Amino acid sequence: MTDAGRFYLTTAIFYPSPKPALHSMFEAIGADMIARYHRLLGEDVRFLTGVDEHSANVERDARAQGVDPHQLIDPWADTWRATFERYAISFDRFIRTTDPDHATASVEMVRRAMASGDVYEGVYSGWFCTGCNEFKTDQQLVDGRCPDHPTLEPQWLEESNYFFRLSAYQERLERLYADNPSFCEPEHFRNEVLGWLKDGLRDFSISRSGTEWGIPFPEDPGHRIYVWFDALTNYLTGAGFPDDADALATWWPADLHVIGKNITRFHCLYWPAMLMSAGLPLPNQVFAHGFMYDVGGQRMSKTTGNTEDPDEMADRFGVDGVRYAVLREVPFDRDSNVTLDGFVRRFNADLANDLGNLVNRTVSMSGRYLDGALPSLAGATQPADVELAATAARVVGEYRAAMERKHLDEALAAMMELVGAANGYAESQAPWSLHKAGDAERVGQVLAVMAEACRIAGHLLAPVAPDGARRIHEQLGVPPPYDERGAGGPGLDALARWGGGPDAWRTGTASPVFPRVELEPVA
């Protein structure tokens, strides 16, 4: 039995820079855990991520270096893709807004808005933040600077632009949130969106003049499509819009957009209005994640310079270790203060000590006492055995509920509850003492129960630490495939059901899956 269905997931596309930083990987890793979870359910998943290249800072930096913007951006995009691949981000497409099919999609979206009477020409004057690629009102600036990019001085712009008539969609957007509040989650970020909606919507610019970097505006090549009208359309491009009708029918509307909390205005107000204007269905949900802050309360970002290098972190913790420590230590739905020491302690406590120790002693004792041959669980009927089985069933339910809410840290905490219960079971049943007493039958039952808990924990670990899950299952001797299967797979309920493994299996050789990490700082 499988949890049949399809799931189209996107991240926000990322502003280009020479290399991703840890805060960028936070969104990508979280979205990847969600994608892998849905594959674990047996669903057919399409996962889109990539980079937003038509930003003003690319043109500015290219001009300063005396190069064509493509010469600047191509190596950056290659580095981002390589870093995402190193971090096992299981995207189906890494989109670039310079891709030809994306230009076609963006032009079509503008033309549909024009056909709906939602585009007009006007003059804009105001502040522009090149970090956000957003026009700012005086009220949005703090001491004359964008609060998200305090090191960048906003530019004052006065130019003729084309505008999108967002104000015409005030009532329809109010009705959207009245009928479907969960369109934007979590609630605390939705309330901010509702506040902007209550203040009244203002039309926004969808073109820039005086620039050659960007997609030419339909019927007026002296303008370029403004970055947000361009960037948001990437979700449609990834679903085959406008030319691949079969793909579009399969994948649109998107099931989930994962974005940072700083761009909810665009995704939760601009984007649905654009889709309404184009006569297209809305995505099912937009989920805004919080930010990682250092202990001083400053947002971790490339601009502030207080972020860790993802390659250095991967060299130290391993890719799975970084992925786990970030998502276990930092709640995905809200802001959190983090430290490198906190990551080290979390990694050592959860992975190296609790989970690693459970797997290691299960496999080691199975090899020493049973020559690796684990018996069937059918004989494991003592109260402690039944209690651990019940804990496993409850934990799987809590894990699934947390994942559906995108509370990724809570899902991982549920998995660790099973690991802790299995370690407690091992201490109470003491198979080493049973072996000394010559009770071979009970030794086999206890180790089979411990192995089954490890097997289920491995499945729950797979979305966040896929290589670690594979190695756990290999040491246990669980026959592959052992983690997410995707379309047509058995589904998580079958995989993580107590007794869902083979009737009996033979364990392999014990080896540390997550070696401890020391507390010395990264060079």
Side-chain angles (χ1 to χ4, degrees), residues 269-444:
L269 295 175
Y270 291 21
W271 181 227
M274 289 164 56
L275 290 167
M276 291 172 184
S277 179
L280 293 167
L282 307 191
N284 293 338
Q285 188 175 78
V286 178
F287 187 91
H289 65 77
F291 289 149
M292 296 191 296
Y293 290 82
D294 64 18
V295 289
Q298 188 174 29
R299 177 189 169 192
M300 296 183 75
S301 72
K302 293 284 282 188
T303 304
T304 56
N306 62 341
T307 185
E308 297 295 337
D309 181 278
D311 284 333
E312 290 182 358
M313 295 287 283
D315 289 342
R316 182 166 191 183
F317 291 88
V319 166
D320 279 356
V322 181
R323 287 170 59 104
Y324 178 88
V326 165
L327 295 184
R328 180 68 179 90
E329 192 74 3
V330 184
F332 201 54
D333 63 314
R334 56 191 182 275
D335 297 338
S336 181
N337 293 335
V338 297
T339 65
L340 181 59
D341 283 359
F343 285 159
V344 171
R345 293 189 183 96
R346 175 65 68 185
F347 175 92
N348 286 338
D350 287 11
L351 298 183
N353 294 349
D354 290 354
L355 179 58
N357 182 51
L358 175 65
V359 172
N360 188 270
R361 62 179 175 175
T362 299
V363 175
S364 296
M365 286 189 289
S366 297
R368 287 199 308 270
Y369 303 157
L370 305 173
D371 195 25
L374 292 170
S376 167
L377 282 169
T381 58
Q382 293 194 17
D385 309 337
V386 174
E387 182 180 358
L388 187 58
T391 297
R394 176 175 55 79
V395 160
V396 171
E398 292 174 354
Y399 177 96
R400 290 200 60 168
M403 287 301 301
E404 293 301 324
R405 298 193 306 272
K406 289 79 177 176
H407 290 191
L408 310 185
D409 61 316
E410 293 179 11
L412 296 175
M415 180 200 73
M416 290 307 303
E417 183 182 351
L418 172 59
V419 171
N423 275 317
Y425 171 87
E427 293 299 321
S428 68
Q429 300 306 299
W432 49 89
S433 299
L434 295 170
H435 176 70
K436 288 181 181 179
D439 191 347
E441 181 179 10
R442 183 57 185 161
V443 169

